[in-house]
Amino acid sequence: MPLPRLLDAALDRLVIPGYSRLGFLARSAGWSTLPPEALRGRTIAVTGSSTGLGEATVAGLVSLGAAVEMVVRDRGRGEAARDRVLASHPGAQVTVGRCDLADLDDVRRYAADARDRLIALHGLVHNAGVLPDARTETAAGHELCLATHVLGPFLLTRELLPLLRAGSPPDRPGSPARVVFVSSGGMYTASLRTDDPEFREGRFSGGAAYARTKRMQVVLAELLADDLAGAGVAVHSMHPGWADTPGVAGSLPAFRRITGPLLRTVDQGADTAVWLQAAREPGQCSGVFWHDRVPRPTHYLPGGEEAPEARAGLWALCVDAVGPA
């Protein structure tokens, strides 16, 4: 049986039990199993898929019959990850496409190539992420977290829209193409900052830049949900809880040392991203923030919601950065 709502909400608000593997084990005991062919005939692209949550997401998708395009910055690492997936899922359809999400010109190049190769996309998972030690700018002059987590995904979604439209045929209204942003529970610690989105003011903190842009992802998913409603494309965001990924080991070693026994496996962390592509419920709504297969509030404190002008500012930031459609 599913956890009672009050208990589930209590686990979520207490953070440690809800975000840890304990929360996953408690909740997943009541979940129904997805059909093994739930994604047969569907093609899904996953960014940042050469390791960690991205690789686990690919494995979860192909286990349900999907064909997956692994979108990676380093082709060699991506092909090694593909080989690991194929070793555990023989016969799966997995391709590798190279794209640096932080480089907007490279996003355009990759998307043009994808439009030439692919007939349709039924899903897109924005998983690529960075947590830099120092403020770093891309060749176009954008702060690295902002470019990787917000501007690149915004542009990639727009550039792949013809494929996503093709994956959302009007005769299948209950099965739209789905765009999923892999955010972070850390976004709860940040407000939507459009006054200094490039983090040019004050002392730079990689953790703060990460949290700010993860908050932006959640708001951007809501804005894209409205913008793409007419195209029949559903857009969601989610957070994976605390998972033991190479990124955590490399960027947050102290956190990993303290919480190690409580961290989720990468498969547990990727579960909701996979479920959002396969389950019925997420195809019947859009613009929702999820954790462990349940919609979650985007703010814990009353009055924390973004002002309309701040939301409009985020949209203008993205449009101004990537240029007109």
Side-chain angles (χ1 to χ4, degrees):
M1 293 290 291
L3 281 183
R5 289 186 179 181
L6 288 178
L7 176 56
D8 179 63
L11 290 175
D12 189 54
R13 304 307 189 274
L14 291 171
V15 178
I16 293 176
Y19 290 18
S20 71
R21 72 168 61 202
L22 301 178
F24 180 87
L25 293 173
R27 291 166 175 146
S28 62
W31 293 345
S32 58
T33 302
L34 291 168
E37 303 298 317
L39 291 172
R40 179 166 292 280
R42 298 177 75 85
T43 300
I44 300 170
V46 183
T47 71
S49 48
S50 61
T51 189
L53 291 175
E55 182 179 341
T57 299
V58 173
L61 293 171
V62 300
S63 72
L64 298 175
V68 176
E69 169 98 335
M70 299 176 69
V71 184
V72 300
R73 185 174 57 182
D74 184 305
R75 180 174 290 278
R77 293 181 62 200
E79 290 175 347
R82 176 201 59 196
D83 292 346
R84 290 192 294 270
V85 171
L86 292 177
S88 57
H89 299 84
Q93 299 179 59
V94 185
T95 55
V96 177
R98 190 194 64 78
C99 179
D100 183 352
L101 264 291
D103 184 336
L104 301 183
D105 287 338
D106 202 43
V107 171
R108 293 185 180 91
R109 176 205 57 78
Y110 165 75
D113 174 67
R115 292 194 301 268
D116 287 341
R117 290 186 294 106
L118 303 176
I119 297 173
L121 268 181
H122 304 89
L124 172 60
V125 180
H126 290 300
N127 173 74
V130 293
L131 204 169
D133 293 329
R135 187 180 183 279
T136 304
E137 286 192 357
T138 67
H142 297 296
E143 188 275 319
L144 185 60
C145 280
L146 179 70
T148 304
H149 299 156
V150 181
L151 303 181
F154 175 81
L155 178 60
L156 184 61
T157 302
R158 194 177 73 176
E159 291 288 307
L160 294 180
L161 186 55
L163 293 175
L164 293 168
R165 285 180 181 272
S168 300
D171 59 340
R172 296 175 62 187
S175 187
R178 305 174 189 191
V179 177
V180 174
F181 285 81
V182 179
S183 183
S184 166
M187 72 95 190
Y188 283 114
T189 67
S191 58
L192 179 62
R193 293 287 302 273
T194 55
D195 57 322
D196 182 28
E198 301 279 2
F199 218 126
R200 291 194 170 96
E201 300 173 4
R203 184 176 180 179
F204 179 82
S205 162
Y210 182 86
R212 285 186 188 185
T213 52
K214 288 298 177 177
R215 166 64 69 181
M216 288 180 179
Q217 284 186 325
V218 173
V219 178
L220 181 58
E222 296 172 345
L223 297 173
L224 282 170
D226 291 338
D227 188 61
L228 299 182
V233 177
V235 185
H236 295 286
S237 59
M238 55 78 66
H239 83 83
W242 294 343
D244 192 6
T245 66
V248 168
S251 300
L252 301 169
F255 173 80
R256 184 174 184 265
R257 188 166 54 251
I258 294 169
T259 61
L262 296 174
L263 295 180
R264 300 177 176 209
T265 67
V266 289
D267 291 338
Q268 292 170 344
D271 175 84
T272 295
V274 174
W275 180 85
L276 286 170
Q277 292 291 343
R280 180 183 178 190
E281 298 94 311
Q284 298 177 322
C285 58
S286 192
V288 180
F289 181 55
W290 304 78
H291 172 54
D292 283 346
R293 304 189 182 188
V294 172
R296 304 293 176 182
T298 56
H299 300 85
Y300 283 148
L301 299 178
E305 294 79 7
E306 294 80 19
E309 54 268 27
R311 296 170 67 86
L314 175 60
W315 188 261
L317 167 70
C318 293
V319 172
D320 290 346
V322 308

